[in-house]
Amino acid sequence: MATDITTDRLRELAETRTAQGKVLSVFINLDPREFATPPARATEISSVMDEAGRAIRDHGTLTHAERTALEHDVERVRAQLRNGLDTEGARGLAVFASELAGLFEILKLPRPVPHKVAISDHPCVEPLARIGAGELWWLVLVDRRRVRLLAGTIDGLVEVWRQDDDVPGKHDQGGLSQARYQRSVEKEVDDHLRAVNAELQRRIKANRVAGILLGGPKETVAHLEQMLHADVAKCLKGRFDVDVWNSSTDEVLNAARAVLDELTARRDRELQQRIDEGLGTGGRAAAGLNEVLTAVHERRVDTLVVQDGFTAKGTRCPQCGWLGVSAGGQCPADGTMTEAVDDVVEIAVARAFAQDARVRYRPATDLWLEQKGSIAALLRF
Ligand SMILES: [Zn+2]
């Protein structure tokens, strides 16, 4: 499984605005169930890039310079994808390119995406947000001498660290008595687990994880748990059974899935409860598009909850970025004439990411969220 999406990367993209030139955003579906062979994938990539070419040609408001630059972008993407960009394991691709703005990125996605071509003054990150919105989990696989750290969402994991602390002395008793040999082996295990703890402690500083799961032999896992640093221990959410060394990332995910599903459901229930409480007391929550857009504009959102497939036309103030639901009219903040936008929900999601808020998508069948107007938010203040 391959993925290049991180929350940080998403945030950077969501914040990107080009002073000159337009941004081409292209999403390519490489669902292995539909595009199993390399030729099928190549054909698919080529056909979506053709579509991008047509979108540029048929676009009504591009300047000559913008059009030429975007055409170069399409050629550059084609060349990259032809000349051995490794799409192995990717279930989709996201392309963001703007020659004039110096932007060129091809990201591998862990999950299929619908095709999409967009030309805008910013990268279209909403389909990415949908994937990245899955919260980041760490799965730590550990036995008496080895460790693996896999990071990702319920849609896919990436192995980020793997180490075999095999120590030569372990298999060579030399002149040691049985008792001393045993003590030296136990010390090696101890050193190994201490090193694991130190590395996790170092890495957790730079990451915001929904939780950590430990997998491996019960005794070793319990041993590691006893020595975990408080910063790591407070993220520990569960344990699962797994082959520590020989399982693929997909097998690890499958082994942890039941635990992850349960934990995710619990987090969603807690979030729902906190939003209900906030709404009930007139406190830190917002519901319905209008209220939520205001909160997004005021940078108050902690967690945005959106129903899958929810879209709405709206307006945006070109001056201050104010977002609204009704068409036309002036910005209430500065009186500037607002401009119409096709999907104000997409903009709200991108902006929430840019503000370091979490975004949770809920299924279209979620009645609780539907009664809230298909969108709600937990607020920071
Ligand atoms: Zn304004």
Side-chain angles (χ1 to χ4, degrees), residues 317 320 331 334:
C317 170
C320 70
C331 167
D334 52 31

PDB file of all heavy atoms in Angstrom, residues 317 320 331 334, ligand 1:
ATOM      1  N   CYS A 317     -16.490  35.970  -0.054  1.00  0.00           N
ATOM      2  CA  CYS A 317     -16.017  37.348  -0.213  1.00  0.00           C
ATOM      3  C   CYS A 317     -14.587  37.306  -0.736  1.00  0.00           C
ATOM      4  O   CYS A 317     -13.714  36.728  -0.093  1.00  0.00           O
ATOM      5  CB  CYS A 317     -16.059  38.095   1.119  1.00  0.00           C
ATOM      6  SG  CYS A 317     -15.211  39.688   1.040  1.00  0.00           S
ATOM      7  N   CYS A 320     -12.131  39.202   2.071  1.00  0.00           N
ATOM      8  CA  CYS A 320     -11.750  38.674   3.381  1.00  0.00           C
ATOM      9  C   CYS A 320     -11.982  37.170   3.502  1.00  0.00           C
ATOM     10  O   CYS A 320     -11.645  36.566   4.516  1.00  0.00           O
ATOM     11  CB  CYS A 320     -12.507  39.388   4.496  1.00  0.00           C
ATOM     12  SG  CYS A 320     -14.264  39.002   4.546  1.00  0.00           S
ATOM     13  N   CYS A 331     -20.623  41.274   1.399  1.00  0.00           N
ATOM     14  CA  CYS A 331     -20.002  40.658   2.569  1.00  0.00           C
ATOM     15  C   CYS A 331     -20.403  41.461   3.803  1.00  0.00           C
ATOM     16  O   CYS A 331     -20.263  42.681   3.810  1.00  0.00           O
ATOM     17  CB  CYS A 331     -18.491  40.672   2.398  1.00  0.00           C
ATOM     18  SG  CYS A 331     -17.606  40.275   3.910  1.00  0.00           S
ATOM     19  N   ASP A 334     -17.193  43.504   5.287  1.00  0.00           N
ATOM     20  CA  ASP A 334     -16.540  44.667   4.663  1.00  0.00           C
ATOM     21  C   ASP A 334     -17.296  45.241   3.465  1.00  0.00           C
ATOM     22  O   ASP A 334     -16.782  46.113   2.777  1.00  0.00           O
ATOM     23  CB  ASP A 334     -15.104  44.304   4.268  1.00  0.00           C
ATOM     24  CG  ASP A 334     -15.049  43.042   3.434  1.00  0.00           C
ATOM     25  OD1 ASP A 334     -16.013  42.783   2.691  1.00  0.00           O
ATOM     26  OD2 ASP A 334     -14.050  42.308   3.538  1.00  0.00           O
TER      27      ASP A 334
HETATM   28 ZN    ZN B   1     -15.442  40.339   3.194  1.00  0.00          ZN
END
